[in-house]
Amino acid sequence: MNYAIVEISGRQFWVEPEQYYVINRLPLKPGTKLVLKKVLLINKEKNIELGYPYLENAKIEATVLDHLLGKKIVIYKMKPKKKYRKKNGHRQKLTRLLINTIN
């Protein structure tokens, strides 16, 4: 079982080849191939390589599949007895990545 732990947009993800992951929006067009170089750990056939903090020769190739919006969150503010009520919503912008290879 091959996997890696990589840092993408400030968060750490456990990634495996040929799997899809949803991360915070990246400013790239769908179909763009990118190389992730902030690799913290690689486990390849029970051979574990650990970086301090990152591995220097490791890279992960990924493809941007599409952009999407997350689940809607409702924010409601209210001050009792003051007739102040404010309702607001938010949907996080997300990107779906396909991990191609781990080197």
Side-chain angles (χ1 to χ4, degrees), residues 9 11 13 28 49 54 68 72:
S9 65
R11 293 173 57 197
F13 292 91
L28 301 170
E49 296 178 40
Y54 304 116
L68 53 130
K72 184 171 229 176

Side-chain angles (χ1 to χ4, degrees), residues 21-80:
Y21 296 94
V22 177
I23 62 170
N24 287 336
R25 177 73 57 104
L26 294 176
L28 301 170
K29 293 183 179 180
T32 305
K33 298 201 184 283
L34 70 143
V35 176
L36 306 171
K37 293 188 178 182
K38 291 187 175 183
V39 180
L40 300 164
L41 178 139
I42 288 183
N43 182 5
K44 214 167 204 179
E45 291 142 17
K46 299 199 179 190
N47 182 16
I48 296 176
E49 296 178 40
L50 185 63
Y52 296 101
Y54 304 116
L55 291 169
E56 294 187 17
N57 298 334
K59 63 180 180 177
I60 296 175
E61 297 174 3
T63 305
V64 176
L65 294 179
D66 61 343
H67 299 294
L68 53 130
L69 293 174
K71 183 180 173 186
K72 184 171 229 176
I73 299 172
V74 177
I75 298 104
Y76 190 76
K77 297 179 182 178
M78 183 186 111
K79 293 187 180 176

